[in-house]
Amino acid sequence: MRALTVMFMARLGSLNALRQTRTHRFWNGWLGADLPSADTLGRVTTQIEAAGLREMHRQVYTRLKRGKALPPPAHCLIAAVLDGHESHATYRRHCPGCLTRTIHTALGDRTQYYHRHVSLQLVGANWTLLLDAEPQRPGEDEVAAALRLLERVLPRYPRAFDVVAADGLYADPRVFNYLYPRGKDVLAVLKYNHPALLEDARSLFDHHSSVAGRYRNRACRYWDIGGFTTWPQVTAPIRIVRSLETWSVRRQRDGQVETQQADWFWVTTLAPTRATTGAVVQLGHARWAIENQGFNELVTHWHADHVYRHEPTALLVFTLLAMLCLNVFLAFYRRDLKPAARQAANMLHIAHLIAAELFVGIPAGPARTPM
Ligand SMILES: [Zn+2]
């Protein structure tokens, strides 16, 4: 695992790339042994217990919390964003953990194999922290995997967050009915998957006046109504907030200024005494505001979607380990580096420096070819 940590921190992208650094004297000091072959490293990950990695996540959280590195935003509510993430898809190789779907192609229907996991990421004041991930199993839907994740996370992180925020898929009675009695609020995008509720909200909003608001550079009109009863499967009191947002963008192709608009609806259990309309809008956008700080960052810059080993345990281990490395790296970058150093070197630059260190002093030529 220590070797794999270096692979992620240096963002090498494959076990073979890691193996190319094997002659560096760093490895003997770091591992107290030679760097194992790519095959051995891959095989070992099928034996690692995810529980141990999850415990390491908890330790990182606890240290950051004690160090007062996880302050809440101005509205005082820390969100935990639930998000499904699909990794690789293939027609060829599959394993017992693969999900399947039928793809209609010109050559007829084909079975595609893929994996998806649900992650939970804390969002506070200018910081984020990926807490845990849970694979979706064959035969279940994403919400079922999310509930299993919540069952594990709630007792382990009882006071880490106040509200669970998610996209429209999670506007699901199972999520609301699970979290609300356990003292956690829920906030989900309301979309066309709840036509009756959306219709009810729209007709009520037509007869209510809006108030002016602002989200980032967007001028907003807010509507905010509680006491909805058109969602009988949900036991909690339901409030719906709408934000009609208008902003200007300059078009790249001809430099013209264009007005854009978005019409958001959120369904939430958050009481008005706990979260103002503006706070609900901010929390509602949290899922999208973190786009470059969660799995997108891991996929784009950390090669988290690379299939290091196509086996259910290995896939989970690599996911949890990539998340852990990102958390530790971000904590170091934001807390330990002075602002001047951060200005001089972005995160990718630092990763390249780590990688460069590993390759320095290694003889070029055949010795670098993976065995
Ligand atoms: Zn598989």
Side-chain angles (χ1 to χ4, degrees):
M1 200 132 79
R2 291 168 72 93
L4 298 176
T5 308
V6 174
M7 180 185 73
F8 279 119
M9 285 299 190
R11 309 193 194 181
L12 295 177
S14 78
L15 296 170
N16 282 329
L18 181 70
R19 179 70 180 157
Q20 286 177 12
T21 69
R22 71 186 184 282
T23 52
H24 199 289
R25 56 190 161 77
F26 161 80
W27 289 113
N28 216 282
W30 181 245
L31 300 176
D34 288 343
L35 181 68
S37 72
D39 204 44
T40 304
L41 284 169
R43 201 169 50 247
V44 165
T45 56
T46 66
Q47 314 291 328
I48 293 175
E49 297 250 355
L53 276 162
R54 289 186 170 123
E55 180 52 30
M56 287 161 80
H57 271 275
R58 207 170 63 89
Q59 286 170 11
V60 169
Y61 167 81
T62 306
R63 284 188 67 161
L64 289 171
K65 185 78 186 163
R66 285 200 188 126
K68 309 222 177 306
L70 306 176
H75 54 61
C76 295
L77 298 171
I78 292 182
V81 175
L82 268 180
D83 202 6
H85 177 81
E86 190 176 317
S87 54
H88 69 291
T90 170
Y91 290 108
R92 289 190 297 275
R93 301 176 66 178
H94 55 95
C95 74
C98 270
L99 308 175
T100 57
R101 64 184 156 215
T102 304
I103 304 286
H104 307 294
T105 72
L107 300 168
D109 288 357
R110 299 186 71 190
T111 300
Q112 192 181 57
Y113 302 96
Y114 66 104
H115 284 257
R116 183 187 287 132
H117 62 259
V118 180
S119 68
L120 194 81
Q121 182 172 23
L122 298 183
V123 181
N126 299 320
W127 60 267
T128 62
L129 194 74
L130 281 156
L131 277 196
D132 200 351
E134 178 67 25
Q136 184 180 336
R137 295 174 185 162
E140 71 178 10
D141 67 355
E142 188 179 315
V143 170
L147 289 171
R148 199 163 50 248
L149 174 71
L150 291 170
E151 265 171 37
R152 182 173 56 244
V153 163
L154 247 52
R156 292 179 144 236
Y157 300 92
R159 285 189 295 278
F161 55 90
D162 307 286
V163 50
V164 172
D167 68 19
L169 182 75
Y170 292 91
D172 185 304
R174 288 174 289 172
V175 178
F176 279 66
N177 292 342
Y178 181 79
L179 285 167
Y180 190 71
R182 289 166 177 80
K184 299 294 177 193
D185 278 298
V186 195
L187 173 98
V189 176
L190 179 60
K191 284 199 283 209
Y192 300 103
N193 51 349
H194 288 289
L197 193 56
L198 192 60
E199 190 56 35
D200 192 15
R202 278 188 190 280
S203 59
L204 270 174
F205 287 144
D206 283 346
H207 300 100
H208 273 71
S209 54
S210 60
V211 297
R214 178 155 283 276
Y215 174 72
R216 295 190 170 178
N217 65 338
R218 302 176 175 190
C220 308
R221 299 301 308 176
Y222 292 155
W223 289 261
D224 186 345
I225 307 177
F228 278 84
T229 52
T230 17
W231 204 11
Q233 302 96 320
V234 172
T235 47
I238 289 299
R239 169 184 176 198
I240 296 180
V241 170
R242 176 186 180 192
S243 175
L244 183 62
E245 306 177 354
T246 310
W247 70 102
S248 305
V249 287
R250 192 174 288 280
R251 286 200 303 237
Q252 272 198 339
R253 59 188 149 87
D254 54 11
Q256 293 289 309
V257 174
E258 199 174 54
T259 302
Q260 301 211 326
Q261 209 170 51
D263 197 4
W264 287 92
F265 289 78
W266 290 284
V267 56
T268 184
T269 60
L270 280 164
T273 46
R274 203 146 187 244
T276 62
T277 313
V280 170
V281 172
Q282 277 193 28
L283 287 162
H285 279 292
R287 154 77 177 72
W288 283 267
I290 60 165
E291 215 156 65
N292 297 317
Q293 297 172 46
F295 262 95
N296 277 9
E297 162 78 9
L298 278 180
V299 169
T300 312
H301 295 303
W302 296 68
H303 311 282
D305 265 0
H306 178 80
V307 183
Y308 296 93
R309 182 101 178 179
H310 189 166
E311 193 272 342
T313 304
L315 287 166
L316 179 59
V317 162
F318 278 109
T319 298
L320 288 171
L321 191 58
M323 287 166 51
L324 192 65
C325 290
L326 175 65
N327 286 341
V328 171
F329 184 86
L330 284 178
F332 157 76
Y333 188 79
R334 289 174 185 153
R335 285 177 56 80
D336 294 339
L337 281 189
K338 297 219 155 47
R342 280 204 298 269
Q343 272 195 335
N346 65 23
M347 292 194 279
L348 203 55
H349 181 81
I350 291 172
H352 288 159
L353 290 179
I354 299 172
E357 279 283 313
L358 281 175
F359 284 99
V360 162
I362 296 177
R368 289 180 56 183
T369 312
M371 285 173 76

